[in-house]
Amino acid sequence: MQGESATFRNGADLRIGFLGGGQLGRMTIQAALDFDFRIEVLDPDPQCPCARIAHRFTQGDLNDAEAVIAWGRSLDVVTVEIENVSTEGLTALKAMGVQVLPDPAHLALIRDKGTQKQFYADHGIPTSDFALVEDGRAEVLSRGLPVVQKLRTGGYDGRGVQVIRTEDEARYAFDAPSVLEDAVDIEKELSVIVARSTTGEVKTYPVVESVFNELNLVDYLVAPARISEAVEAEARRVALSVVEAMDFVGLLAIELFLDKGGRILVNEVAPRAHNSGHHTIEACGTSQFEQHLRAILGLPLGDTAQRSAAAMLNLIGAPGANGTPLYPALGAALSEPGLHPHLYGKAAVREGRKMGHVTVLADSADSAEQRVLALRDHISTVHAH
Ligand code: ADP
């Protein structure tokens, strides 16, 4: 080994900050412990999943530039587990000499679904045709139906996205700045996670297949995706082209559509660890969380090869749930070989909230899916007690 990354800096000497204290940060802290890296977290919720396990926890508004600056100014490296943060505050920290990764300009570009789509169009990256409009309700019929309307900012986990199929439904369109996209005839929803280090080293994880529930939350995912080698290669090529076009550093999750005509289209990207990479903890040479740390710290990237087929099931708050979480049948499911639980430590369960996940390893993607389907109705819904 040569160069800077040959010297391993003791974790205690390095102050690493995470904006956001949710489950993604929590699983990154779990990975960081193996390197003796100490993660400091800013989040508005003193009961967030990272609060009790962060090296230092600070309560504060992620969108308040002053709060972000006050928290981050004495840190060495600042990163994010959520993109809805004050890029103004991060830009100021960068100017003060704090290493901010991903770059605040990338966070700003990605956070607005309009500028993100425009970026793909400007760089020849395949994506569904679209228009940017100021008032979605007034203009929704201008593109012909069906059309997918997305709020440019503020939506997440399927909220802020709707399909308008009829003139009657146009009444319910959001009256806000929006992207109006052609509806894709989706064969499969795929995703690829790419890590690009400060040294320029790049690694791509195998393509993952996501299956969504009616709330547009990932229901379960299967890895590796059951697609041809040609589609796998094309998905990875398109994902890499996004990373290169942006000159992105950090971890980028690229959500793709495989349409019924066999084309790969970029849906959107997330500049951080992603739900579709949770199985990498057990199924791949290096988890996405460890890889994120390696990428932003300029360490050699870890092996991304998949060692076992896997399926991942989210554990989601039941309709109307509100209170202390109760995981029915999860205890019994622990007798399943190859099943790995991850509970996020959220104090309260609410409808649609991601409370945890389980990963099941199996001999093939099909059998991993079968096992998750057999468990799903018993364990995927989290109740309150
Ligand atoms: P979010 O950021 O809230 O996750 P997405 O842009 O990923 O929103 O959209 C959520 C889901 O809506 C996608 O996973 C897909 O199922 C569906 N969707 C989004 N865009 C399109 C499109 N252009 N055509 C068809 N379905 C779409």
Side-chain angles (χ1 to χ4, degrees):
M1 267 175 83
Q2 294 202 333
E4 225 180 303
S5 57
T7 319
F8 195 81
R9 241 179 119 175
N10 188 306
D13 294 343
L14 196 61
R15 295 189 60 192
I16 306 169
F18 253 84
L19 280 180
Q23 62 264 22
L24 302 174
R26 182 177 169 102
M27 288 183 272
T28 311
I29 291 174
Q30 288 176 277
L33 291 174
D34 286 339
F35 290 75
D36 194 26
F37 292 143
R38 295 158 198 206
I39 310 276
E40 306 185 28
V41 169
L42 180 73
D43 193 278
D45 178 4
Q47 302 216 53
C48 71
C50 290
R52 280 181 295 120
I53 63 166
H55 184 64
R56 179 176 289 119
F57 176 76
T58 306
Q59 185 178 4
D61 180 351
L62 303 176
N63 276 296
D64 174 349
E66 293 306 320
V68 169
I69 295 166
W71 166 80
R73 62 189 314 154
S74 58
L75 300 176
D76 297 306
V77 188
V78 167
T79 190
V80 300
E81 63 112 54
I82 184 169
E83 49 271 42
N84 196 12
V85 297
S86 169
T87 45
E88 194 195 322
L90 287 175
T91 305
L93 287 177
K94 189 180 165 189
M96 291 172 185
V98 178
Q99 196 173 23
V100 180
L101 292 168
D103 194 277
H106 287 141
L107 295 176
L109 169 75
I110 290 166
R111 189 161 68 164
D112 178 342
K113 285 181 191 255
T115 55
Q116 201 190 130
K117 272 294 236 189
Q118 194 60 52
F119 182 88
Y120 304 138
D122 293 346
H123 291 80
I125 291 164
T127 193
S128 60
D129 285 341
F130 67 99
L132 303 182
V133 296
E134 277 309 307
D135 180 346
R137 191 171 301 162
E139 298 176 72
V140 71
L141 295 175
S142 62
R143 279 191 67 78
L145 300 176
V147 68
V148 180
Q149 181 187 17
K150 299 183 179 179
L151 290 179
R152 285 187 64 159
T153 55
Y156 67 98
D157 276 353
R159 277 163 264 198
V161 175
Q162 59 179 343
V163 186
I164 309 282
R165 291 189 184 80
T166 63
E167 285 196 23
D168 196 38
E169 283 177 1
R171 286 187 292 152
Y172 303 108
F174 310 120
D175 55 352
S178 305
V179 185
L180 298 178
E181 294 183 18
D182 288 358
V184 176
D185 216 355
I186 299 172
E187 172 72 23
K188 273 183 197 288
E189 298 205 27
L190 304 174
S191 64
V192 178
I193 293 175
V194 179
R196 183 151 174 269
S197 153
T198 56
T199 65
E201 188 185 7
V202 183
K203 284 209 172 153
T204 306
Y205 283 91
V207 182
V208 172
E209 183 180 333
S210 303
V211 180
F212 288 79
N213 68 14
E214 59 285 352
L215 294 172
N216 263 338
L217 283 172
V218 175
D219 189 355
Y220 64 92
L221 65 79
V222 180
R226 289 149 307 172
I227 50 178
S228 68
E229 271 178 36
V231 171
E232 169 94 21
E234 173 66 0
R236 289 195 191 215
R237 186 193 67 75
V238 169
L240 274 175
S241 74
V242 177
V243 171
E244 278 158 18
M246 286 186 183
D247 195 17
F248 185 86
V249 175
L251 200 68
L252 193 70
I254 298 102
E255 297 179 12
L256 303 164
F257 298 131
L258 171 63
D259 78 2
K260 297 234 189 272
R263 281 187 312 161
I264 291 285
L265 302 169
V266 174
N267 175 27
E268 61 169 358
V269 301
R272 50 167 171 77
H274 193 252
N275 199 192
S276 68
H278 290 353
H279 67 290
T280 60
I281 297 172
E282 289 89 9
C284 292
T286 309
S287 78
Q288 62 166 344
F289 305 103
E290 180 180 326
Q291 199 76 298
H292 180 182
L293 293 169
R294 288 177 181 239
I296 63 170
L297 298 175
L299 295 168
L301 295 179
D303 171 28
T304 52
Q306 211 170 318
R307 295 164 167 172
S308 166
M312 192 282 306
L313 179 68
N314 283 320
L315 308 182
I316 294 174
N322 193 355
T324 310
L326 182 70
Y327 301 89
L330 182 59
L334 296 178
S335 62
E336 294 260 340
L339 181 143
H340 300 270
H342 295 265
L343 301 184
Y344 302 152
K346 296 184 183 177
V349 53
R350 281 193 292 279
E351 176 167 348
R353 199 172 192 202
K354 290 178 188 163
M355 301 300 294
H357 73 267
V358 298
T359 297
V360 176
L361 303 181
D363 294 340
S364 68
D366 283 342
S367 71
E369 178 179 47
Q370 287 311 315
R371 292 191 47 205
V372 150
L373 284 173
L375 286 168
R376 186 175 59 162
D377 291 346
H378 310 293
I379 68 168
S380 69
T381 306
V382 183
H383 298 275
H385 72 87

